[in-house]
Amino acid sequence: MPWNHKPENERKKLKKQDSIPRQIWVFFCSVKLTVYTLVLLAVTSIIGTVVLQNGAPQQYVDLYGKGIYNLIQVFQIGDMYHAWWFLLLLLLLCINITVCSVERLSLIWKTIFPKQLRFNPDRFLKSRTKQTFVVPQDAQKLARSSEAWLNSRVGQVHRQKDENTFLLYSEKGRWTRLGVFVVHASVLLLLAGALIGAVFGFKANVRIDEGGRTNQVFTARTREPVTLDFTIQCNEFEVKFYDTGAPEDFRSNLTIIENGQESFTKDIRVNHPLRYKGINIFQSSYGTATPNAAVVSIVDNVTGRETTQTIRIGETIGLPDDQGYFLLQGFLPHFDFRNNNLGETFFGKVDLANKQGFQIGLPVKFPTFDKMRKGRFAFAVKDFEKRYYTGLQVTKDPGVWYVYAGFILMILGCWVTFFMSHQSFLIAVQPQAGGQVTIHLAGKTNRSARDMKLRLARMAAQLENQLTKG
Amino acid sequence: MNSSLALSSATFIYGLATVFYIGFFAFKKEILARTGFFVLAAGLLLNTAGIGLRWVESYQMGYGRAPFSNMYESLVFFSWTMAMLYIFVELKYREQGFGVFISPLIFLAIAYASFDPGISSRINPLIPALKSNWLIAHVVTCFLGYAGFAVAFGLSIIYFVKPKQPDKGAIASRLPAWELIDELTYQMVVFGFLFLTIGIITGAVWANSAWGKYWSWDPKETWSLITWFVYAIFMHLRLMRGWQGRNLALVSIAGFMAVLFTYFGVNFLLSGLHSYG
Ligand code: HEM
């Protein structure tokens, strides 16, 4: 087991006479606290995946009953990842990381940045993984070639002469001991970035009809309006489908307007947002906007005559032979008629002379729908100019760069911690009586001892080969 | 040859490898484990071919997309990453016995993909949100991570079938020593942790480029974070006295349960943005 895998041993035991600040410090230092905090975070995180999040009060009452709803409210379980106790757990984790890192860094700082490199030959020569072989050559010469080899394999060599034994020491990767601190610091950076984003940023949505424009968006959580420094205009929205009917691509053509002037125009698609002045604009949804007008045909069942004309929404026209009036009231993208969805449907109001007015629905896909009413006039929508609205997600997150920096540091730190190590090697060239020279190769590492054992065997074979050849 | 033929042959061959490894365990014949290894390698070859062909076929159908985007494809890829990692470990550490705990997982994943009628093997075009290079990075790294945890799980099981000092000649004596299991489990957890970390991060970056949110506490995201926590707990528990051997193995097993829940449970029991593994 590498030396640093038992930091609890290094921790000074609490003594009775320790001051209270010291006791608090030691409490926040402990890895045990880390484990408890992480267990609590893991277990409580499950709640939010099982209990409905951000629902309306009525939904909770329907789902769980009145009593449990009160409990949910007290503990903010309806939005539990932002609940005070959850944030408190994260804060605890941060304090734990900070205190623990400061303590340990101060302990091993001298190990990582030593003023002077020292090594203890005995500790190497007594190690069980030491490799030994014998070469019948001049010790001086062997020491020189061993040094050259060690220099090329590991790095700068430190020499020492002990009676007639040549000791050659070299090491690499001392700095990798910092890796684990980078991992821990990255957690802090990430959470700091998230906090900055939550305080100074927003996530909002807006719908803009084709041809429409706005500079106001509405936050996702509280529906509060946010006014942007510029105006977004949607020129066109387009959706493409595969043969299978599944959507292939959504595209909005947007123009940014600043100080009343068009600044630039750009297409946005899913995965290809528009980023401008710290604001990100994403394609998030779409739908059918209310059209401006429809082409309506009116058949007079008494005379058999058909008239067709374009009517704007909100416009009233006179019916043939002064029989009354027709008002085109509005439009619905989906019309539910006796549990059937009839699709896009216009609505209108008919006021026949001397009779009470009534409302009719004109589903575009079913032009004979109004005929079934069997009135004097049968209305139908022949055509209309279809307009979409585009649903945009508009966000601002000044913390995202801290989060991304945290991501990069976390990956680098983990890589260094898991796959790299501080390795030191010692070669002892020891002349024996009778012209034989014994060579010892030993090594130490702060990580996997098993890897070191395999590595030493490989290195010894290589060194022996090199020395007997040269 | 087409992809579905390659993948059904791979399924069959992985099944065969499992039989060999179980045979080795039951009859203590070295040759069975050796054969099992080569059969498994053959399965991996076909698995690779199947994934490659599926990629080519998606271009022929005009969709042109990486084969990592639905439940079927992710299961096939999961088998691939597990087989790859197991073969690597067996070659590196020259330990054969524990194949009996991994090969069934490799076989089950791909068999489940083929035999569950609820899982479609059709090559469907991608919806717009999935069209991103981050998708490939995200899926590949997540499944490398899961594979590390799967192998760690297989190793952890050994603690419960093999006593610390087994009798000479007993079947259990063929299995790696406790010390080595400890080391290997740790190596696999560390491998899995690194890749799960990258997987979560690439997912976050992708979500940020598609929806403008790097984290939205969607159930799948949350469960992958829970899994990540469990393995972070594993690594920190190892620092404390009294936490090795069976105790620690239990945490690794719990971690793999969290992986399975993240992968399957969330899809079947909870709802969210992720419609596939
Ligand atoms: C989400 C939070 C955390 C993450 C992701 C994390 C991650 C890690 C990782 C990856 C390692 C390396 C493990 C190994 O080498 O096997 C590690 C080691 C360690 N962690 Fe954490 N950690 C977290 C929180 C903490 C906290 C709060 C403490 C405070 C006590 C802590 C203390 C340590 C210590 C003492 C080590 C051993 C360092 C060494 O081997 O030199 N960790 N951590």
Side-chain angles (χ1 to χ4, degrees):
Chain A
M1 185 123 320
W3 69 271
N4 63 350
H5 272 166
K6 293 277 169 209
E8 291 288 281
N9 300 348
E10 290 169 22
R11 211 181 86 200
K12 294 166 198 77
K13 282 266 158 320
L14 263 188
K15 297 192 197 76
K16 279 223 174 63
Q17 66 271 27
D18 272 343
S19 65
I20 288 174
R22 175 71 200 157
Q23 291 189 18
I24 294 173
W25 180 265
V26 171
F27 171 75
F28 280 118
C29 244
S30 103
V31 179
K32 213 183 227 165
L33 178 65
T34 312
V35 170
Y36 283 126
T37 315
L38 289 177
V39 168
L40 277 175
L41 279 171
V43 172
T44 55
S45 292
I46 298 177
I47 300 173
T49 67
V50 195
V51 177
L52 175 73
Q53 294 293 293
N54 297 310
Q58 194 54 44
Q59 280 176 294
Y60 288 105
V61 176
D62 291 349
L63 273 171
Y64 311 109
K66 194 98 187 137
I68 296 189
Y69 172 59
N70 289 337
L71 210 68
I72 287 178
Q73 253 189 331
V74 171
F75 289 101
Q76 301 175 4
I77 287 172
D79 188 13
M80 71 140 275
Y81 302 107
H82 301 96
W84 58 269
W85 53 270
F86 193 76
L87 298 178
L88 210 61
L89 278 178
L90 291 176
L91 180 69
L92 186 61
L93 189 70
C94 290
I95 299 176
N96 195 189
I97 291 179
T98 313
V99 171
C100 178
S101 298
V102 168
E103 173 88 5
R104 287 178 44 79
L105 205 53
S106 64
L107 276 177
I108 74 162
W109 189 259
K110 286 207 190 79
T111 316
I112 302 179
F113 302 105
K115 286 212 185 65
Q116 200 191 352
L117 216 55
R118 276 203 217 97
F119 59 97
N120 178 352
D122 277 350
R123 275 189 57 205
F124 282 90
L125 294 174
K126 284 200 187 109
S127 79
R128 270 192 293 150
T129 52
K130 184 181 72 174
Q131 305 278 319
T132 304
F133 54 89
V134 177
V135 189
Q137 275 182 35
D138 173 45
Q140 190 100 39
K141 202 176 136 219
L142 284 177
R144 235 179 296 126
S145 7
S146 301
E147 183 177 339
W149 178 82
L150 190 59
N151 192 38
S152 69
R153 263 311 291 255
V154 182
Q156 199 198 352
V157 176
H158 299 260
R159 261 164 298 163
Q160 199 171 305
K161 187 114 193 269
D162 208 17
E163 293 169 30
N164 55 355
T165 306
F166 297 88
L167 296 171
L168 307 168
Y169 172 86
S170 184
E171 63 163 44
K172 65 177 176 190
R174 195 172 271 272
W175 61 273
T176 61
R177 290 175 183 268
L178 284 173
V180 74
F181 294 97
V182 174
V183 176
H184 291 135
S186 74
V187 176
L188 296 181
L189 195 57
L190 251 158
L191 291 173
L195 185 66
I196 293 173
V199 174
F200 300 107
F202 61 80
K203 294 186 173 48
N205 309 94
V206 67
R207 283 180 176 189
I208 308 177
D209 290 348
E210 281 182 305
R213 56 168 77 169
T214 184
N215 64 351
Q216 248 192 0
V217 296
F218 300 89
T219 59
R221 264 148 58 86
T222 56
R223 311 304 312 160
E224 270 174 68
V226 177
T227 306
L228 304 175
D229 292 345
F230 49 81
T231 296
I232 309 168
Q233 173 176 306
C234 174
N235 305 315
E236 194 190 357
F237 175 83
E238 188 184 49
V239 53
K240 267 198 279 185
F241 295 96
Y242 292 109
D243 304 340
T244 61
E248 179 180 358
D249 198 17
F250 309 124
R251 188 180 63 82
S252 295
N253 183 263
L254 303 182
T255 297
I256 299 299
I257 300 166
E258 276 178 297
N259 308 323
Q261 292 206 316
E262 289 193 6
S263 195
F264 62 94
T265 295
K266 192 175 181 268
D267 275 349
I268 65 166
R269 294 185 294 139
V270 179
N271 278 321
H272 300 274
L274 165 62
R275 300 182 196 277
Y276 185 59
K277 293 205 165 158
I279 306 283
N280 309 302
I281 304 170
F282 297 85
Q283 181 69 57
S284 76
S285 65
Y286 74 98
T288 310
T290 302
N292 291 327
V295 179
V296 181
S297 93
I298 304 167
V299 176
D300 183 339
N301 287 326
V302 173
T303 61
R305 258 184 301 154
E306 178 176 359
T307 48
T308 301
Q309 73 183 98
T310 303
I311 312 172
R312 272 177 289 115
I313 286 194
E315 183 186 8
T316 305
I317 58 153
L319 292 173
D321 298 341
D322 294 331
Q323 290 290 324
Y325 300 96
F326 175 69
L327 162 67
L328 189 61
Q329 286 177 306
F331 172 84
L332 275 183
H334 305 286
F335 172 42
D336 197 35
F337 181 75
R338 291 183 189 151
N339 285 329
N340 289 312
N341 178 8
L342 301 188
E344 293 158 339
T345 302
F346 286 84
F347 287 87
K349 195 167 170 235
V350 183
D351 280 303
L352 293 180
N354 316 325
K355 278 197 193 147
Q356 203 163 11
F358 55 92
Q359 207 179 27
I360 56 170
L362 308 173
V364 177
K365 267 190 267 168
F366 303 95
T368 54
F369 183 79
D370 191 52
K371 212 172 176 176
M372 294 184 293
R373 186 172 48 85
K374 298 206 179 353
R376 166 153 183 192
F377 296 104
F379 298 82
V381 169
K382 289 270 176 207
D383 193 18
F384 71 102
E385 197 181 342
K386 190 166 174 150
R387 279 203 311 161
Y388 285 110
Y389 71 79
T390 181
L392 303 177
Q393 163 134 318
V394 181
T395 69
K396 177 177 161 189
D397 188 352
V400 76
W401 299 112
Y402 298 90
V403 174
Y404 278 19
F407 285 167
I408 291 171
L409 285 183
M410 179 171 289
I411 295 173
L412 290 179
C414 277
W415 188 278
V416 169
T417 308
F418 296 152
F419 301 133
M420 297 173 89
S421 57
H422 180 195
Q423 303 162 19
S424 43
F425 299 93
L426 183 86
I427 299 179
V429 180
Q430 205 168 29
Q432 306 287 348
Q436 297 281 45
V437 175
T438 311
I439 310 258
H440 300 285
L441 171 68
K444 291 205 164 301
T445 172
N446 64 332
R447 301 268 320 164
S448 163
R450 179 177 303 272
D451 283 355
M452 185 45 122
K453 190 169 152 194
L454 295 173
R455 190 179 301 125
L456 281 176
R458 260 200 324 269
M459 286 174 72
Q462 207 189 12
L463 178 61
E464 184 172 7
N465 186 18
Q466 185 95 10
L467 293 181
T468 44
K469 199 174 63 195
Chain B
M1 181 146 90
N2 63 20
S3 67
S4 64
L5 180 61
L7 290 174
S8 15
S9 328
T11 311
F12 174 73
I13 289 179
Y14 281 145
L16 201 63
T18 309
V19 171
F20 275 110
Y21 276 114
I22 293 174
F24 164 67
F25 198 61
F27 305 116
K28 296 187 255 175
K29 292 265 188 293
E30 203 84 11
I31 180 77
L32 290 176
R34 189 93 40 87
T35 318
F37 178 78
F38 286 111
V39 174
L40 192 70
L44 178 63
L45 219 62
L46 278 166
N47 196 343
T48 315
I51 293 174
L53 283 169
R54 211 176 149 87
W55 205 324
V56 173
E57 284 160 20
S58 83
Y59 273 92
Q60 286 164 351
M61 293 172 75
Y63 302 141
R65 63 176 184 75
F68 306 118
S69 49
N70 56 31
M71 194 64 174
Y72 176 82
E73 292 172 347
S74 75
L75 279 166
V76 166
F77 185 62
F78 190 26
S79 281
W80 188 88
T81 51
M82 282 192 286
M84 197 72 184
L85 191 62
Y86 174 72
I87 285 178
F88 173 80
V89 172
E90 183 170 329
L91 285 178
K92 178 159 177 196
Y93 293 91
R94 314 224 159 268
E95 284 286 344
Q96 306 175 311
F98 76 100
V100 66
F101 299 103
I102 310 297
S103 51
L105 293 180
I106 299 174
F107 168 66
L108 281 177
I110 197 167
Y112 178 53
S114 322
F115 297 131
D116 185 331
I119 297 176
S120 161
S121 68
R122 284 191 42 202
I123 302 183
N124 283 323
L126 290 185
I127 61 166
L130 295 185
K131 281 188 212 156
S132 164
N133 286 333
W134 289 108
L135 167 73
I136 301 180
H138 177 58
V139 174
V140 168
T141 48
C142 278
F143 280 91
L144 281 172
Y146 291 174
F149 297 141
V151 177
F153 166 77
L155 286 158
S156 300
I157 295 290
I158 304 180
Y159 282 108
F160 300 94
V161 265
K162 177 185 177 175
K164 190 156 191 177
Q165 254 95 36
D167 303 328
K168 264 229 157 67
I171 296 168
S173 69
R174 300 298 176 111
L175 292 169
W178 273 35
E179 254 172 54
L180 180 67
I181 311 172
D182 184 71
E183 162 99 16
L184 277 178
T185 310
Y186 172 69
Q187 291 293 344
M188 290 300 114
V189 165
V190 149
F191 176 88
F193 189 79
L194 175 73
F195 280 100
L196 179 63
T197 305
I198 304 180
I200 294 177
I201 289 176
T202 47
V205 173
W206 173 26
N208 193 37
S209 71
W211 296 286
K213 276 194 230 180
Y214 52 82
W215 195 261
S216 46
W217 294 105
D218 150 81
K220 193 121 191 162
E221 276 173 7
T222 308
W223 269 96
S224 66
L225 186 70
I226 292 169
T227 307
W228 192 76
F229 281 145
V230 175
Y231 286 102
I233 292 166
F234 176 98
M235 285 190 294
H236 289 89
L237 275 179
R238 237 174 85 93
L239 306 171
M240 304 207 296
R241 237 170 313 206
W243 283 94
Q244 59 307 81
R246 284 190 176 164
N247 288 344
L248 204 54
L250 283 175
V251 181
S252 145
I253 292 171
F256 192 62
M257 296 303 119
V259 168
L260 290 183
F261 194 82
T262 309
Y263 191 6
F264 302 105
V266 173
N267 291 24
F268 299 139
L269 302 175
L270 312 171
S271 61
L273 293 171
H274 287 73
S275 54
Y276 64 95

